Amino acid sequence: MMDAFDPRSIINGGMLKQFNGQTVSIMVRVESVAGSTLLASSTDNHKLKINLPGELGAADGAWVEVIGVPHGADTIRAKEVIEFGGENIDFDKDGYNGLSHLINNVKAFYRSG
């Protein structure tokens, strides 16, 4: 279990490469779980492979938050996976994508100024 205040960037699948080696938070939709591997789709429809820290009981189609470290363009080593109540939640993919872009563009703006 990680400290709730560890800094992490909120990203989507298209941003994975630029955050290689850094701790991130990403929402994904479960496609399948086999042992310690989760196959999932990001909110911007990137196919991802997530190496899990342990057992995951999420149903196919469920939305989960993955906190972990990306390696390459499509793999994440998860530190923690947070489940949100199954496949029936109405998750706003477009809103999340907008949020992830806004947060990261604002951070870049304040760092460069």
Side-chain angles (χ1 to χ4, degrees):
M1 184 91 175
M2 40 181 311
D3 180 346
F5 297 103
D6 280 351
R8 60 185 183 261
S9 298
I10 295 172
I11 66 165
N12 64 18
M15 300 174 171
L16 223 54
K17 271 205 303 209
Q18 73 191 73
F19 287 91
N20 259 349
Q22 301 176 47
T23 300
V24 300
S25 174
I26 185 169
M27 291 295 295
V28 299
R29 188 169 204 158
V30 175
E31 291 186 356
S32 66
V33 180
S36 64
T37 301
L38 163 63
L39 298 179
S41 295
S42 64
T43 54
D44 55 345
N45 299 314
H46 286 260
K47 302 292 185 199
L48 305 177
K49 177 183 172 188
I50 297 152
N51 301 317
L52 299 169
E55 196 76 11
L56 181 66
D60 293 358
W63 286 99
V64 297
E65 178 183 6
V66 175
I67 300 167
V69 179
H71 296 279
D74 65 354
T75 303
I76 301 172
R77 188 180 70 244
K79 297 179 182 179
E80 184 176 1
V81 178
I82 301 166
E83 298 180 48
F84 288 98
E87 65 276 8
N88 295 322
I89 67 167
D90 183 21
F91 186 73
D92 183 356
K93 291 180 5 174
D94 293 333
Y96 180 88
N97 283 327
L99 171 72
S100 61
H101 283 285
L102 177 68
I103 287 173
N104 288 292
N105 288 334
V106 167
K107 274 199 303 197
F109 173 77
Y110 282 106
R111 268 190 251 132
S112 64

